[in-house]
Each structure stands twice: as structure tokens, then as C-alpha cells.
Amino acid sequence: MRRRKGRRKRKERRRRRLRSEKKSRMMLSFDAEEIVEEPEKLEKKKEKAPVTKNPDVATDFLPDKERDEKIQMEKDRQKKEWLQRQIEMKNELVEVTYSYWDGHGHRRKTSVKKGTTISSFLEKVRKDLVNDFHELKRLNGSDLMYVKEDIILPSDMTFYKLIVSKARGKSGPLFHFDVHDDVRLVNDVRIEKDESHPGKVCERSWYEKHKHIFPASRWEQFDPDKSFDKYTLKSL
């Protein structure tokens, strides 16, 4: 009996030892595999393809710094070109036919830049007329007024602004400064007439004395918000 018990104990110890050795070998094997696989994982991460946009998906609504900068640069370029064009246009000359009015018309012509204000135009006219009309020697340009198509134009208005705004008066366009008649024979109210009349230059004091008498009775101050749908030439 004792011998049998001794053999059983020896077998049991041998099994435990074998299981322990097997377990140790397995642990060593797993550690070795992990050690070998770590560098491979790092390499795979390095070799990953870069993330790119899907060309089939609309992304215009997403922020894009480079695109926004290009758009802003184009806007700045167009604005610069537009401003340069305005400067060039304001420096262009326009011939103005006018009539110095003292109860009678005395027609003259002069040339000014489109960017010239009405006040500067009137001072130039005064200097041009002073040798023929001595009463103008005691006056300044501010003592005169310019009436175009029965509209008294403000002193700070420019010819350029009248031209680009296509302003209209009671009896014709305010953006034509030469004198010509509409040669078209079509009597159609839908067609804009091209008839232009010489603007009148007169003393403010003359206007105050005669504003109840034709033609001064037709004159009115310029109002940018007022629209003249059709032209009239006679007193109402």
C-alpha cells in the first residue's frame, strides 16, 4: 500500500511539473511574438495612405482658407480696377453748352472734367463771361446757379454723378450737356427722348426777383428721389 501511494504522489508531482513547464513555454512564446509584432505595427502606421477629399462629395460649404484667400484677392483686384476706371472717367473732358440768362439767353460753350462740381463750373463760367458782362466782376461762383432741364442743380453735384446716374429733369435728360434735338419720328411714349437743352446760368438774385414769372416759375430744386416719368416743355 505504501509503495502504491508513493508511486501516485511521484506521478502527481511529475504532472504538475510538466504542466508548469508547458505553461512557462507558452508564456515565453507569446512574449516573443509580441516583441516581433510591435515594430511591424509601427511600420504599418507609417505606411498608411494620407486622408484625401472624396471628389464625388460636395465640399463647397466647408471652410477652405486657401479658396477664401483666392476669392478675396480676386475681389480686391476687381475693386482696384473699378476705382481706377472711375478716376479715369472723372478726368475725361465733357463739353458743356450753356446759356447765361439775364432775361435773355447768351449761349456759350466750355469744357470741364466730368469730376468737376457745379460750384467749380459756375466759377469757371463767371471768369469766362466777366469781360462781356461786367456785373459779374463783383460776384463769385456761389452767387450764380445752374439750371438744367428746369432743375436747379446743387453746388456739390458733379457732372460725373449726373452721367452715371442717368438723372432726368422736367424737360429732358440731365446727363447730356451738348444741345441736340431728337431726330426720331416715332411717336412712342415707351421710347426715351434724346432731346437736350442748354442749361441756364443766372444770378441767384435774378431768380429770387423773377421766380414767379416763366421760365423761372417752372424751375425747382433737384431731388434725387423724385422721378420724372415723362418730359414737359410748357408751363402748367
Side-chain angles (χ1 to χ4, degrees), residues 116-122 144-148 151-159 161-162 174 204 220-224:
T116 302
T117 62
I118 297 302
S119 62
S120 297
F121 162 72
L122 289 172
L144 303 175
M145 54 192 292
Y146 180 47
V147 185
K148 175 71 170 148
I151 299 297
I152 302 169
L153 296 176
S155 59
D156 59 349
M157 176 66 69
T158 64
F159 290 92
K161 189 171 182 179
L162 292 170
L174 297 177
R204 291 186 181 276
E220 61 181 80
Q221 296 291 335
F222 176 79
D223 183 353

Side-chain angles (χ1 to χ4, degrees), residues 122-151:
L122 289 172
E123 178 59 23
K124 185 177 189 301
V125 166
R126 188 193 70 81
K127 291 178 180 178
D128 291 344
L129 294 173
V130 72
N131 291 330
D132 295 328
F133 302 93
H134 300 295
E135 65 271 19
L136 296 177
K137 289 182 179 180
R138 58 183 174 77
L139 302 178
N140 295 315
S142 59
D143 297 315
L144 303 175
M145 54 192 292
Y146 180 47
V147 185
K148 175 71 170 148
E149 307 301 347
D150 296 319
I151 299 297

Side-chain angles (χ1 to χ4, degrees), residues 88-110:
E88 292 172 359
M89 288 177 65
K90 289 177 182 179
N91 285 324
E92 293 173 355
L93 291 176
V94 58
E95 185 177 76
V96 182
T97 301
Y98 67 92
S99 177
Y100 175 60
W101 191 263
D102 57 1
H104 300 281
H106 309 277
R107 188 170 292 188
R108 298 287 192 276
K109 284 184 180 180
T110 189

Side-chain angles (χ1 to χ4, degrees), residues 171-231:
S171 54
L174 297 177
F175 50 88
H176 287 318
F177 304 102
D178 54 349
V179 177
H180 58 275
D181 295 327
D182 191 350
V183 298
R184 291 171 295 185
L185 300 178
V186 180
N187 186 18
D188 191 337
V189 295
R190 295 171 298 176
I191 299 176
E192 171 76 35
K193 291 187 176 181
D194 199 30
E195 187 176 359
S196 178
H197 311 95
K200 291 180 176 63
V201 174
C202 71
E203 294 183 37
R204 291 186 181 276
S205 59
W206 182 93
Y207 170 68
E208 291 298 328
K209 291 177 183 177
H210 300 86
K211 60 184 178 182
H212 61 288
I213 303 171
F214 182 84
S217 58
R218 276 181 52 86
W219 301 350
E220 61 181 80
Q221 296 291 335
F222 176 79
D223 183 353
D225 297 323
K226 189 170 183 178
S227 175
F228 296 96
D229 295 329
K230 56 185 179 180
Y231 301 138

